[in-house]
Amino acid sequence: DAMVIQNPRYQVTQFGKPVTLSCSQTLNHNVMYWYQQKSSQAPKLLFHYYDKDFNNEADTPDNFQSRRPNTSFCFLDIRSPGLGDAAMYLCATSTEDGYNQPQHFGDGTRLSIL
Amino acid sequence: AQKVTQAQTEISVVEKEDVTLDCVYETRDTTYYLFWYKQPPSGELVFLIRRNSFDEQNEISGRYSWNFQKSTSSFNFTITASQVVDSAVYFCALSESPYSGGGADGLTFGKGTHLIIQP
């Protein structure tokens, strides 16, 4: 009965080859987030959707894009992955008043760049 | 800007010992929320507790307890009678109200404390 599902669990791609990570949720939450977590570091917010409204963090590289075709699904696209993009990518959801509600995280996708 | 500091990078204790994880935060907002999350080796972040800035009552949940002190901007987490299954990375996080005109909409995490419970 997983509520936030990320696929795949592990993803290997080549330097410069576009890659898409997916996230789905069964919670019907309005807000979906993408975080990047590098080894032994804290998760860092990349962007989030409030319904269909996209909110990008100021320091998120242009190389990172996102799509949310409906409430349940959200995708993270990395257009030209570099070695520095190897990380765990975490998807999370929260209800409308996200700032005061717990975020529900998926298991993450660990991305490796060859 | 908001900031969360977890000064303890790694703590190692023997099973059944009590252990306290420190968290100090900075914010200009009067309305904010503090969270603790656990990240076991499998990778998912598990929500443990939420506390709002107007509620300074300490909280106990089984072997876990939290001490929130606004005067020192701290939100410390204590595990009593630690168990091997408590081994994980623990993150303290801050969320500011978007209605107050400042702050990010996501969580600002500390760098985490890696807790090792030895049998």
Side-chain angles (χ1 to χ4, degrees):
Chain A
D1 56 341
M3 296 178 287
V4 181
I5 303 164
Q6 291 188 243
N7 285 307
R9 190 73 195 274
Y10 300 92
Q11 176 72 57
V12 181
T13 191
Q14 291 180 333
F15 181 94
K17 185 174 181 180
V19 64
T20 295
L21 309 182
S22 72
C23 177
S24 63
Q25 55 136 338
T26 60
L27 297 163
N28 205 34
H29 283 171
N30 294 80
V31 192
M32 294 187 77
Y33 307 83
W34 279 104
Y35 289 87
Q36 179 193 63
Q37 186 180 21
K38 295 188 176 181
S39 181
S40 302
Q41 295 186 22
K44 179 179 179 300
L45 181 66
L46 294 173
F47 27 59
H48 74 278
Y49 274 95
Y50 188 112
D51 291 327
K52 284 192 174 291
D53 292 333
F54 177 70
N55 298 272
N56 198 32
E57 291 301 296
D59 56 356
T60 298
D62 293 338
N63 199 24
F64 290 84
Q65 304 284 318
S66 186
R67 296 170 284 134
R68 189 179 185 187
N70 53 51
T71 300
S72 301
F73 287 87
C74 195
F75 300 97
L76 169 62
D77 301 308
I78 308 177
R79 292 191 296 188
S80 182
L83 296 178
D85 297 328
M88 173 79 89
Y89 290 88
L90 296 164
C91 174
T93 74
S94 67
T95 59
E96 185 164 345
D97 292 325
Y99 86 98
N100 64 0
Q101 296 297 322
Q103 292 184 17
H104 300 263
F105 285 83
D107 289 345
T109 294
R110 188 170 296 280
L111 178 66
S112 299
I113 314 295
L114 299 181
Chain B
Q2 67 275 23
K3 184 180 178 181
V4 177
T5 301
Q6 294 178 257
Q8 305 148 309
T9 305
E10 184 175 291
I11 300 175
S12 181
V13 300
V14 177
E15 197 172 20
K16 296 184 183 177
E17 287 185 15
D18 298 348
V19 59
T20 295
L21 310 181
D22 298 332
C23 173
V24 175
Y25 62 93
E26 295 176 28
T27 177
R28 294 178 184 172
D29 280 5
T30 56
T31 303
Y32 53 89
Y33 279 76
L34 294 163
F35 301 81
W36 276 94
Y37 284 84
K38 175 182 180 180
Q39 188 174 41
S42 50
E44 78 278 19
L45 280 159
V46 178
F47 165 74
L48 295 178
I49 191 173
R50 170 191 61 184
R51 180 50 49 103
N52 76 54
S53 51
F54 300 106
D55 182 3
E56 286 196 70
Q57 284 193 346
N58 291 332
E59 182 156 339
I60 298 174
S61 175
R63 296 182 297 106
Y64 295 170
S65 62
W66 290 268
N67 182 2
F68 176 33
Q69 292 193 342
K70 286 183 75 171
S71 61
T72 55
S73 297
S74 64
F75 186 41
N76 297 336
F77 172 31
T78 298
I79 302 175
T80 58
S82 60
Q83 300 176 1
V84 173
V85 294
D86 296 328
S87 297
V89 180
Y90 290 85
F91 289 98
C92 180
L94 168 70
S95 178
E96 295 176 331
S97 167
Y99 310 114
S100 63
D105 293 309
L107 291 167
T108 298
F109 286 88
K111 292 187 176 181
T113 296
H114 184 198
L115 178 62
I116 301 168
I117 310 296
Q118 300 177 19

